[in-house]
C-alpha cells in the first residue's frame, strides 16, 4: 500500500454538503478552526470536549441531540495537544479513554440516534487523523489512536454497505501531519465533504491530496544465503510430497496452497476449524447480481427468524467460499 497524488475532481464544489448542525468532538486549535469555518457557511457547529467520565460526555451528547439533532459528526481528538502515545501506564490509560473510547462511545450513541430518526441518508461521519498524510506508510507515528479511529470509520462504512438497503451515509477519514495549519485542515475537511467522491480515506501532504492505493512491486527472487538462514527454499520442495496446511480453504492461504499444489504436484491436507460445508453446487458460480439477490434473501430470512442478518450472511458466505475452494482443489 502506498499513497498516490490525486487532486480533487474538476468541478468539485468548495462548500460542504451539510444537511443540518454539526457536532465536533475534541477541543483543540484544529477543532476550533473547523467550527469557525462551518459557521462561516451558515452551519451551526457545536463542540463537545472529551473527558475521563464517559457518562458525563454521553449525557452532554443527549442534551445536544435533544436541542438541535446534529447530523454531522467530526472526530478531531487526534489533534489534541496530548494525543501522543506514551508507555507510562497512567498516561496510556488516560489517552486511551479520551482519544479512543470516548470518540467511539460518542460515535456509537450518535449513530443510534440518527438511525432511530431514519436520517442516515442525510448524515456524515468524519475523522481527522494525524498519521502524516500517508496513513503511516512512512512510519514515525506520534500516536496510534488515529489508526483506531480510521478502523472505526471503515467498519461503519463496511457495515452500511453490507446492509440490504444501501444508505447515502457518508464517511471520510482525512489524514495529515499533526503540525498542519488548523485553518488549512478545516478547509480540507470542508472540501472533502463538498466533493462527495466516494473515497473513504484521503491524505494531505504539503497542500497536496493523496489517496491510498495498492501498488504492484516485483519480488526479489534472489535470496542471499545469509538472509535465508534456515528457511525452506523453492528448490527444497520435493515434487509429489504431502503437505499439511492449517486453514487453506479461504483467503490468501487458499491461494498459496493452490499454487504450491500446482507447481509441485503436492497432496494437500487442509486442517481447519470450519465444518465441511453443505452448499448446493448452484450457489458456487453465481454472478455479482445473483449473489446480491441471494444475500438479500438470506438476510431477510434471518431477520424473520429473529437472527442477526449480517452474522447469518457472513456464515453463509464463508461456507460458499470454502465449498468453492474445495471444489476447485478437487
Amino acid at each position: 500500500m502506498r499513497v498516490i497524488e490525486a487532486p480533487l475532481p474538476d468541478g468539485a464544489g468548495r462548500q460542504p454538503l451539510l444537511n443540518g448542525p454539526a457536532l465536533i468532538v475534541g477541543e483543540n486549535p484544529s477543532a476550533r478552526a473547523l467550527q469557525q469555518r462551518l459557521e462561516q457557511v451558515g452551519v451551526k457547529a457545536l463542540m463537545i470536549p472529551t473527558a475521563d467520565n464517559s457518562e458525563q460526555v454521553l449525557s452532554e451528547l443527549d442534551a445536544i441531540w435533544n436541542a438541535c439533532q446534529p447530523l454531522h459528526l467530526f472526530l478531531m481528538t487526534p489533534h489534541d495537544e496530548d494525543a501522543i502515545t506514551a508507555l507510562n501506564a497512567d498516561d496510556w490509560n488516560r489517552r486511551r479513554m479520551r482519544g479512543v473510547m470516548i470518540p467511539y462511545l460518542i460515535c456509537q450513541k450518535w449513530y443510534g440516534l440518527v438511525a432511530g430518526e431514519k436520517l442516515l441518508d442525510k448524515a456524515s461521519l468524519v475523522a481527522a487523523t494525524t498519521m502524516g498524510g500517508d496513513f503511516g506508510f512512512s512510519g514515525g507515528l506520534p500516536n496510534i489512536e488515529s489508526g483506531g479511529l480510521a478502523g472505526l470509520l471503515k467498519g461503519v462504512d463496511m457495515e452500511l454497505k453490507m446492509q440490504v438497503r444501501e444508505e447515502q451515509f457518508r464517511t471520510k477519514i482525512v489524514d495529515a501531519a499533526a503540525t498542519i495549519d488548523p485553518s488549512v485542515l478545516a478547509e480540507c475537511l470542508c472540501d472533502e465533504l463538498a466533493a462527495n467522491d466516494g473515497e473513504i480515506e484521503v491524505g494531505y501532504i504539503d497542500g497536496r491530496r493523496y489517496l491510498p492505493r495498492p501498488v504492484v512491486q516485483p519480488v526479489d527472487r534472489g535470496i542471499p544465503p545469509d538472509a535465508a538462514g534456515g528457511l525452506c527454499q523453492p528448490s527444497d520442495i520435493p515434487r509429489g510430497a504431502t503437505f499439511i496446511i492449517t486453514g487453506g480453504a479461504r483467503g490468501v492461504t487458499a491461494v498459496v496452497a493452490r499454487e504450491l499444489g500446482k507447481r509441485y504436484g503436492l497432496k494437500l491436507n487442509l486442517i481447519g476449524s470450519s465444518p465441511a460445508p453443505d452448499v448446493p453446487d448452484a450457489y458456487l458460480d453465481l454472478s455479482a447480481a445473483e449473489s446480491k439477490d441471494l444475500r438479500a434473501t438470506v438476510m431477510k430470512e434471518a431477520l424473520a427468524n429473529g437472527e442477526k442478518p449480517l452474522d447469518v450472511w457472513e456464515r453463509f458466505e464463508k461456507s460458499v467460499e470454502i465449498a468453492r475452494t474445495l471444489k476447485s482443489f478437487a
Side-chain angles (χ1 to χ4, degrees):
M1 293 294 296
R2 297 289 183 270
V3 291
I4 60 171
E5 189 169 355
L8 281 166
D10 293 336
R14 300 302 301 271
Q15 298 297 335
L17 304 174
L18 302 186
N19 301 303
L23 179 62
I24 301 171
V25 182
E27 193 171 24
N28 52 63
S30 294
R32 288 189 286 273
L34 175 62
Q35 183 183 40
Q36 183 177 5
R37 178 69 179 86
L38 292 175
E39 289 176 345
Q40 285 175 355
V41 295
V43 176
K44 182 178 182 179
L46 299 94
M47 193 177 300
I48 181 169
T50 58
D52 298 323
N53 187 324
S54 60
E55 292 184 2
Q56 172 189 334
V57 174
L58 295 179
S59 176
E60 188 172 346
L61 172 58
D62 275 329
I64 293 173
W65 178 263
N66 291 331
C68 65
Q69 289 193 342
L71 296 180
H72 307 280
L73 181 63
F74 293 85
L75 304 180
M76 303 293 291
T77 50
H79 288 270
D80 288 349
E81 185 178 352
D82 61 345
I84 300 173
T85 299
L87 297 182
N88 174 275
D90 291 338
D91 293 339
W92 169 274
N93 288 326
R94 181 175 185 272
R95 194 58 218 170
R96 176 178 173 272
M97 173 58 72
R98 293 191 167 215
V100 179
M101 292 309 301
I102 292 295
Y104 165 73
L105 292 171
I106 289 176
C107 179
Q108 183 185 52
K109 187 174 185 62
W110 170 85
Y111 184 94
L113 292 168
V114 175
E117 295 293 332
K118 302 188 185 306
L119 294 171
L120 284 175
D121 59 331
K122 294 179 170 32
S124 62
L125 173 61
V126 180
T129 57
T130 56
M131 293 180 279
D134 65 353
F135 295 91
F137 296 144
S138 60
L141 297 180
N143 70 67
I144 60 175
E145 63 193 61
S146 288
L149 295 187
L152 170 63
L153 265 69
K154 286 191 284 188
V156 170
D157 182 72
M158 188 179 301
E159 286 189 19
L160 276 171
K161 287 179 178 176
M162 286 292 291
Q163 289 184 9
V164 177
R165 181 170 60 89
E166 295 183 359
E167 304 285 358
Q168 298 301 312
F169 184 87
R170 289 174 291 164
T171 53
K172 203 86 171 186
I173 304 154
V174 180
D175 189 47
T179 55
I180 188 173
D181 183 275
S183 61
V184 171
L185 176 61
E187 202 67 38
C188 291
L189 292 168
C190 291
D191 287 349
E192 291 300 327
L193 281 177
N196 194 26
D197 59 353
E199 294 289 345
I200 304 301
E201 298 174 282
V202 178
Y204 281 86
I205 304 174
D206 297 329
R208 296 182 176 180
R209 183 177 185 265
Y210 293 84
L211 300 176
R213 290 290 186 268
V215 178
V216 176
Q217 292 184 338
V219 175
D220 182 5
R221 299 186 181 278
I223 307 175
D226 58 339
L231 296 178
C232 178
Q233 298 297 297
S235 59
D236 298 332
I237 301 176
R239 293 197 61 80
T242 299
F243 268 44
I244 291 176
I245 309 288
T246 54
R250 300 175 64 228
V252 67
T253 318
V255 175
V256 173
R258 180 185 292 109
E259 188 65 21
L260 283 170
K262 276 172 48 179
R263 290 194 185 192
Y264 301 103
L266 304 179
K267 180 179 180 182
L268 301 178
N269 293 270
L270 309 182
I271 298 178
S273 59
S274 301
D278 182 17
V279 177
D281 286 347
Y283 289 158
L284 303 185
D285 299 301
L286 298 179
S287 66
E290 290 170 332
S291 294
K292 187 173 183 179
D293 290 342
L294 177 61
R295 183 183 72 180
T297 300
V298 170
M299 294 178 74
K300 286 177 180 176
E301 289 180 355
L303 192 62
N305 294 330
E307 301 176 281
K308 292 184 178 179
L310 187 58
D311 290 347
V312 172
W313 170 250
E314 286 179 346
R315 290 197 298 270
F316 185 86
E317 188 178 36
K318 180 178 178 180
S319 295
V320 170
E321 184 180 356
I322 292 174
R324 187 183 296 123
T325 301
L326 295 181
K327 182 181 178 181
S328 71
F329 276 20

